Amino acid sequence: MKAAAKLLLRATCAFFLAAPLFLAQFVQAQFAGMTKPKQYPWSNTALSPDARADLVIQQMTLDEKILLMHGQGMPFFTHGPSESNGGAGFTEAIPRLGIPSIQMADSAYGVTRGAAAGRYSTALPNDLAAACSWDPQAAYAYGGLIGRELRAEGYNMTLGGGVNLPREPRDGRTFEYMGEDPLLAGTMDGYVEKGVQSNGVIGDLKHYAMNDQESGRNAVNANIDKRSMRETDLRAFQIALSISHAGAVMCSYNRVNGDYSCENHYLLTDVLKKDFHFDGFVLSDWGGTHSAVKASHAGLDMEQPDQYFYGEAMKKAVQSGAVSEAELDGHVHRILRTIFASGVFDHPTVTSVPDADAGAKLAEQIAEKSIVLLKNEDHVLPLTDGGTVVLIGGHADVGVLTGGGSAQVDAPGGTVVAPPAPKGPMDAFMHPQWLRDSPLRALSAELPGAKISYLSGDDLDAAADAARRADVAIVFAYQWESEGMDLPTLNLASAQNQLIETVAAANPKTIVVLETGSPATMPWIDKVAGVVEAWYPGIRGAEALAGILTGKVNPSGKLAITFPKSDADLPHPTLVTPPPASQPNFAAMGGDISNFMSMMAKGLPPFQTSYDEKLEVGYTWYDAEKKAVLFPFGFGLSYTTYAYADLAVEKGDALTVSFTVKNTGKRAGTEIAEVYAALPAAAQEPPKRLIGWSRVELAAGESRKVSIAVPRDRLTIYDGASDSWKLVPGAYVILAGGSSQDLDLRRTVRLP
Ligand code: BGC
């Protein structure tokens, strides 16, 4: 009996000791069985993405190929059962072949609305703001964060990457782009998309090309000569592509020189696929596809978000021979090779909650580098910890503004400023959202010794009165921007100019903080002591701004876009607006987006815009036309000062431009040192172009030698007649300094 009991005890102990092991092995086996993807010949990661794509194509039916080439609607109008993750677009999976669905989300400055987890997305400072950091590493981190959050929210492709140059700075999407210089914009956007792709997510560049205004964007025909296009707007795409190797390029709504961008052979095939060696796929902007045969021949690989042309119509075109199987396979190959090259096939997304704290931290760091100090008379800034400060206007008691449209990153918990009453389904899309991040609170935390209050500014007399009684008055002014609209003018909206004038008249220590997505004109500039451009500063914008205003952070951002004195100085003083037939009224159509999309697909009567300013975009326009500006490209103040000396230029495969930058002030800072070149007269170029820059961190009193490599292709011009890039022989003047209009150092070199 005793022996039997011992045996039982031993058996029980053995069971309890061994059970967890067995259980673990059992679970592991089940889990492995569940997660181990089925192996296909194209699962072999030793093969190139192209070889893997070809293996899949050999097994595909015509229907499967076509399935990969179009979307299935949007969250509010899908066809049949939907695999959509809630983003703006997707392609269906092909389970038989193990091909995953491509889940796409807009993510210009963070992952947008859509998936349920979208409310955790980080709203970074807007793209133009980030460009003002001139910091490729920050751009990479910016993209890296977007890529991580996309994956966490179940997406494997971004629809971000806007890099259009603001030929029309009143464009309602200027905030989504990277400024006016092709080298700066292309570099910054390239690093953003490189960061996105480092997460196994397909990167994107858009809107290809010449989509420089929103008014009548589906109908406008942009007229521009080849050389101007190649050296400016397309150059930005080329540079972004060479850095990022983005897997996708989105063609734009508008026509270019007569053909829709999405059926423009020159743009899609001659330039993008041949000259730029783009090996990813081209997808149409939403409703930007207008044909099957012409678009296919031109180089469009995928229609989004629907299948007006790349579904049944494409099938018929292939069956009739109007589109050859080889051409079709070419499109499918590009989509598949991107799925393999990006990691989307080998590393399926696993959803999780994004790390909102880490996101906020990065957003704050980037905002600190992006905010630009434009005016600081008599050292009105940084603020000291004492006295009274009144903040006026701009909802600075509760929030900071964001940019709208498809780029809108929803404010967590909803917009903190009550939205106007909803009028239709596109309401959220077209109304301002304010992030819950209070400048009043952030500034009070930095200045515990000061008495800080807030006033809406709605009552001008009350504003003047409060300003008069305060030591310092800070007016928060803003300009909301969104896709689907343009700004009628660069003047601040409603009565904000009047508010600033009133406050400035009451208090000489008036500072204006701007939250805008484009440049703003400043009729009051001589009357205020300080101006700070905060852009749409993101989820920790208030903290970053408080850091700048109080000097905890020394400002280092510099303008990636010129601030003109007035609309009259723009290349097109009056915004080109479409005739009514070319601008259907979405609201009058009952807000039915499916109907709207199909109308777009049918096409609208074109109207013209001519970019006859040609090569003169942004600062090159003001330089060439000798127009004085409010604040030039590349300009930004600091709480310290810098001096430049000893410019030398060495000729080699690349030019090496070196000089010394000295911090001549009393505190540490980061100076963005800029290098420009004036090309020989025979090149017939605008007076100068940016050819390089460096961010130089300097302690007080420190000086450092800076060396910048300038590859020769930064000095070439595009010859439209021979369709090639040329280095014009002659004298090149190399200029260095702290902004496009502060270039004291110059040296001439002769290039053969
Ligand atoms: C915009 C694109 C965007 C797409 C999907 C279009 O209206 O122009 O930038 O990616 O919608 O939301």
Side-chain angles (χ1 to χ4, degrees), residues 74 88-89 106 159-160 173 176 204 206-207 211 214 217 250 253 285-286 406 429 483 597:
M74 293 181 79
D106 281 296
L159 296 172
R173 302 187 86 167
E176 281 186 61
D204 176 42
K206 72 183 185 185
H207 305 89
N211 183 181
E214 288 294 284
R217 63 181 179 172
M250 185 191 292
Y253 285 126
D285 200 343
W286 268 227
S406 61
F429 192 77
E483 174 187 348
M597 286 274 173

Side-chain angles (χ1 to χ4, degrees), residues 56-76:
V56 186
I57 290 176
Q58 284 165 21
Q59 304 292 323
M60 289 176 101
T61 64
L62 177 59
D63 285 333
E64 285 169 339
K65 290 176 183 173
I66 286 181
L67 195 64
L68 216 54
M69 291 171 62
H70 63 75
Q72 301 283 356
M74 293 181 79
F76 21 92

Side-chain angles (χ1 to χ4, degrees), residues 240-277:
L241 199 57
S242 71
I243 293 170
S244 65
H245 302 288
V249 168
M250 185 191 292
C251 50
S252 56
Y253 285 126
N254 54 292
R255 292 169 166 96
V256 178
N257 295 333
D259 284 330
Y260 281 113
S261 294
C262 293
E263 47 188 44
N264 194 311
H265 195 278
Y266 176 72
L267 285 179
L268 303 187
T269 297
D270 299 346
V271 177
L272 182 64
K273 292 184 176 178
K274 290 194 179 147
D275 275 13
F276 295 177
H277 306 292

Side-chain angles (χ1 to χ4, degrees), residues 468-486:
R468 208 168 292 120
R469 283 186 283 108
D471 294 314
V472 178
I474 309 181
V475 183
F476 280 71
Y478 64 91
Q479 184 89 286
W480 180 69
E481 266 182 22
S482 167
E483 174 187 348
M485 56 166 249
D486 291 318

